Coordinates of all heavy atoms in Angstrom, one line a residue:
N351 N 105.9 84.8 51.1 CA 106.2 83.4 51.0 C 106.3 83.0 49.5 O 107.2 82.2 49.1 CB 105.1 82.5 51.6 CG 105.0 82.7 53.1 OD1 106.1 82.9 53.7 ND2 103.8 82.6 53.7
M353 N 107.2 85.3 47.2 CA 108.4 86.0 46.7 C 109.6 85.2 47.0 O 110.6 85.2 46.2 CB 108.5 87.4 47.4 CG 107.6 88.4 46.9 SD 107.8 90.0 47.8 CE 109.5 90.3 47.5
S354 N 109.6 84.5 48.2 CA 110.8 83.7 48.5 C 111.1 82.6 47.6 O 112.2 82.1 47.5 CB 110.7 83.2 50.0 OG 109.6 82.2 50.0
T355 N 110.0 82.1 46.9 CA 110.2 81.1 45.9 C 110.5 81.6 44.5 O 110.9 80.9 43.6 CB 109.0 80.2 45.8 OG1 107.9 81.0 45.3 CG2 108.6 79.6 47.1
V356 N 110.4 82.9 44.3 CA 110.6 83.5 43.0 C 111.9 84.3 42.9 O 112.6 84.2 42.0 CB 109.4 84.4 42.6 CG1 109.6 85.1 41.3 CG2 108.1 83.6 42.6
L357 N 112.1 85.2 43.9 CA 113.3 86.0 44.0 C 114.4 85.3 44.7 O 114.2 84.6 45.6 CB 112.9 87.3 44.7 CG 111.8 88.2 44.0 CD1 111.6 89.4 44.9 CD2 112.2 88.6 42.6
D358 N 115.6 85.6 44.2 CA 116.7 85.0 44.8 C 117.4 85.9 45.8 O 118.1 86.9 45.4 CB 117.8 84.6 43.7 CG 119.0 84.0 44.3 OD1 119.0 83.6 45.4 OD2 120.0 83.9 43.5
F359 N 117.1 85.7 47.1 CA 117.6 86.6 48.1 C 118.8 85.9 48.9 O 119.2 86.4 49.9 CB 116.5 87.0 49.1 CG 115.5 88.0 48.5 CD1 114.2 87.6 48.4 CD2 115.9 89.2 48.0 CE1 113.3 88.5 47.9 CE2 115.0 90.1 47.4 CZ 113.7 89.7 47.4
G360 N 119.2 84.8 48.4 CA 120.3 84.1 49.0 C 120.0 82.6 49.0 O 119.1 82.1 48.3
Y361 N 120.8 81.8 49.7 CA 120.7 80.3 49.7 C 119.5 79.9 50.5 O 119.3 80.4 51.6 CB 122.0 79.7 50.2 CG 123.2 79.9 49.3 CD1 124.2 80.9 49.6 CD2 123.4 79.2 48.1 CE1 125.3 81.1 48.8 CE2 124.5 79.4 47.3 CZ 125.4 80.3 47.7 OH 126.5 80.5 46.9
T362 N 118.8 78.9 49.9 CA 117.7 78.3 50.7 C 118.2 77.1 51.4 O 118.8 76.2 50.8 CB 116.6 77.9 49.7 OG1 116.1 79.0 49.0 CG2 115.4 77.3 50.5
P363 N 118.0 77.1 52.8 CA 118.6 75.9 53.5 C 117.8 74.7 53.2 O 116.6 74.7 53.0 CB 118.3 76.3 55.0 CG 117.2 77.3 54.9 CD 117.4 78.1 53.6
V364 N 118.6 73.6 53.1 CA 118.0 72.3 52.8 C 117.6 71.6 54.1 O 118.5 71.4 55.0 CB 119.0 71.4 52.0 CG1 118.4 70.0 51.7 CG2 119.4 72.1 50.7
P365 N 116.3 71.2 54.3 CA 116.0 70.5 55.6 C 116.7 69.2 55.8 O 116.9 68.4 54.8 CB 114.5 70.3 55.4 CG 114.2 70.3 53.9 CD 115.2 71.3 53.4
T366 N 117.1 69.0 56.9 CA 117.9 67.7 57.3 C 116.9 66.7 57.8 O 116.2 67.0 58.8 CB 119.0 68.0 58.3 OG1 119.9 69.0 57.8 CG2 119.8 66.8 58.6

Side-chain angles (χ1 to χ4, degrees):
N351 294 326
M353 284 180 60
S354 66
T355 64
V356 177
L357 299 178
D358 181 14
F359 290 119
Y361 294 103
T362 302
V364 178
T366 302

